[in-house]
Amino acid sequence: MTLRVLAAMSGGVDSAVAAARAAEAGHDVTGVHLALAKNPQSYRTGARGCCTVEDSRDARRAADVIGIPFYVWDMAEEFDRDVVQDFVAEYAAGRTPNPCLRCNEKIKFAAVLDRAVALGFDAVCTGHHVRKIDGRLRRSVDEAKDQSYVLAVLTREQIEHAMFPLGDCTKAEVRAEAERRGLAVADKPDSHDICFIADGDTAGFLNGRLGSEPGPIVDESGEVLGTHNGAHAFTVGQRRGLNLGGSVDRRYVLSIEPVNNTVKVGPRAALAVDEIVAERPVWNGCEPPAEPFACTVQLRAHGEVHACRAWQDDDGRLVVRLAEPATGVARGQAAVLYDGDVVLGSGTIAETARRAEAAAAG
């Protein structure tokens, strides 16, 4: 069946090959580049940054080679409101957000998809490394490039209108294919870190938005060990940058309290949690479970997978009970549930705890 497909083309190799595959499959494909930066720079810095003038040109050249129409959509206002400002607000509230996840949710599969459907397109095609089988998301065959974690926030309806042509191949295969197709982006470096912080200095970016606000760094007993210039510069599990002098014992950030601008630190063992409560759950691979069921959970974009039991409580929150404690679990990150390589659902981590019996046993 021939579909009208809108291919989101970032200017990178993945989205270019995805668009080419969709067109080769016989679909009626139109390429679109999302202009997300209010003041795009002419050139990226190595593999940092995206949404530059250079990226727009690379996307247009790829569309020309593929032989599909190409447009640029200005979505800078939506991106600033729903991704950048959300990122800053989350850090100000003592949480650690994932802007890639928010961009997928609010921009690529909300604003873009809504506009695409209104224009008569059947699907949005992207270069994400993930598989879609029988309406459910599954991990990519390339585990190192798998992006199911940052797409787990999508609803079933959004997944229904999504096309992911690259989930069945490795990144090396994608680059080789781009070379065969004559796409100039075949050797273009992958972008990494946070796209709207091109120099990679997240603390500096947040200081520019939130300002410097000195506060105390305390231990578990409340004793002041040092000071900081802004609690927003820290995240749970962080060890570097505490500047506590020549302490023999390594200390890690245990919690961030934005109300009193306090950063609490302690030993690595104090980071261990085995119960997580997540808000705004999205169940895209199964029905909301009222009773605990066995599955696995991933708590960071490139983090390890943990065995657990999970359910939705009477307040509509996702509750995850880990089989073994995990460390460095930060509020604001996503908890993504899997059955093998199938995404079941996700939620935004709001609370973490160590059950008394587990702490006593450990």
Side-chain angles (χ1 to χ4, degrees):
M1 181 176 65
T2 299
L3 301 176
R4 287 196 67 204
V5 176
L6 185 72
M9 302 182 70
S10 67
V13 63
D14 290 325
S15 60
V17 172
R21 286 189 174 189
E24 190 173 67
H27 299 302
D28 180 7
V29 180
T30 297
V32 62
H33 178 75
L34 307 181
L36 303 179
K38 288 186 175 181
N39 298 298
Q41 300 298 311
S42 295
Y43 297 98
R44 64 172 60 229
T45 303
R48 294 190 182 277
C50 71
C51 315
T52 65
V53 173
E54 179 192 5
D55 291 317
S56 178
R57 291 170 180 165
D58 286 344
R60 185 179 296 278
R61 292 189 190 101
D64 288 343
V65 171
I66 297 167
I68 59 175
F70 178 82
Y71 299 91
V72 175
W73 285 0
D74 183 358
M75 306 202 76
E77 183 176 342
E78 293 92 335
F79 183 78
D80 181 68
R81 180 189 65 235
D82 294 331
V83 180
V84 180
Q85 292 185 34
D86 174 81
F87 177 83
V88 174
E90 286 291 282
Y91 265 101
R95 296 184 287 268
T96 304
N98 186 312
C100 293
L101 188 150
R102 196 65 61 231
C103 182
N104 287 326
E105 175 190 16
K106 297 291 187 180
I107 305 298
K108 295 175 183 175
F109 292 96
V112 171
L113 182 57
D114 288 347
R115 187 183 297 186
V117 171
L119 291 172
F121 288 93
D122 300 302
V124 169
C125 170
T126 75
H128 287 99
H129 283 258
V130 67
R131 291 176 293 163
K132 174 183 147 183
I133 301 176
D134 296 330
R136 300 202 296 179
L137 297 179
R138 304 179 78 112
R139 290 189 186 276
S140 166
V141 298
D142 188 339
E143 293 184 5
K145 292 296 182 180
D146 173 58
Q147 292 174 291
S148 61
Y149 177 90
V150 294
L151 292 173
V153 72
L154 302 186
T155 66
R156 292 184 187 183
E157 183 178 5
Q158 290 170 330
I159 294 172
E160 180 183 352
H161 290 283
M163 182 180 291
F164 305 110
L166 303 187
D168 62 349
C169 61
T170 67
K171 186 59 179 271
E173 291 170 335
V174 171
R175 290 196 181 279
E177 182 175 334
E179 183 72 26
R180 291 195 304 271
R181 292 181 180 275
L183 297 170
V185 292
D187 295 323
K188 187 173 180 178
D190 290 339
S191 61
H192 61 83
D193 294 330
I194 300 169
C195 70
F196 52 86
I197 307 178
D199 62 2
D201 183 7
T202 301
F205 174 85
L206 291 170
N207 281 335
R209 295 295 186 103
L210 297 172
S212 177
E213 187 178 355
I217 298 177
V218 304
D219 64 14
E220 293 176 278
S221 68
E223 180 182 351
V224 176
L225 304 177
T227 60
H228 61 78
N229 291 321
H232 52 260
F234 301 90
T235 187
V236 170
Q238 179 176 333
R239 180 173 66 86
R240 299 183 184 277
L242 296 177
N243 298 319
L244 295 179
S247 173
V248 175
D249 299 323
R250 287 184 174 181
R251 293 188 174 94
Y252 299 79
V253 175
L254 303 181
S255 65
I256 302 158
E257 299 298 335
V259 175
N260 54 21
N261 196 29
T262 298
V263 175
K264 182 184 292 186
V265 300
R268 180 175 176 81
L271 285 169
V273 301
D274 61 1
E275 189 158 285
I276 296 161
V277 176
E279 299 174 329
R280 302 186 301 278
V282 176
W283 299 101
N284 47 33
C286 68
E287 295 302 318
E291 299 294 330
F293 74 103
C295 58
T296 59
V297 64
Q298 187 172 329
L299 303 171
R300 289 190 298 274
H302 302 291
E304 61 183 305
V305 174
H306 305 269
C308 69
R309 297 182 68 79
W311 67 95
Q312 183 167 299
D313 67 13
D314 293 339
D315 295 321
R317 303 178 304 174
L318 166 62
V319 181
V320 179
R321 186 162 289 175
L322 304 177
E324 298 290 339
T327 59
V329 182
R331 294 186 301 139
Q333 292 285 291
V336 177
L337 302 180
Y338 292 85
D339 177 9
D341 63 1
V342 178
V343 175
L344 301 177
S346 69
T348 302
I349 298 171
E351 302 172 18
T352 62
R354 183 80 187 273
R355 289 177 292 145
E357 62 269 26

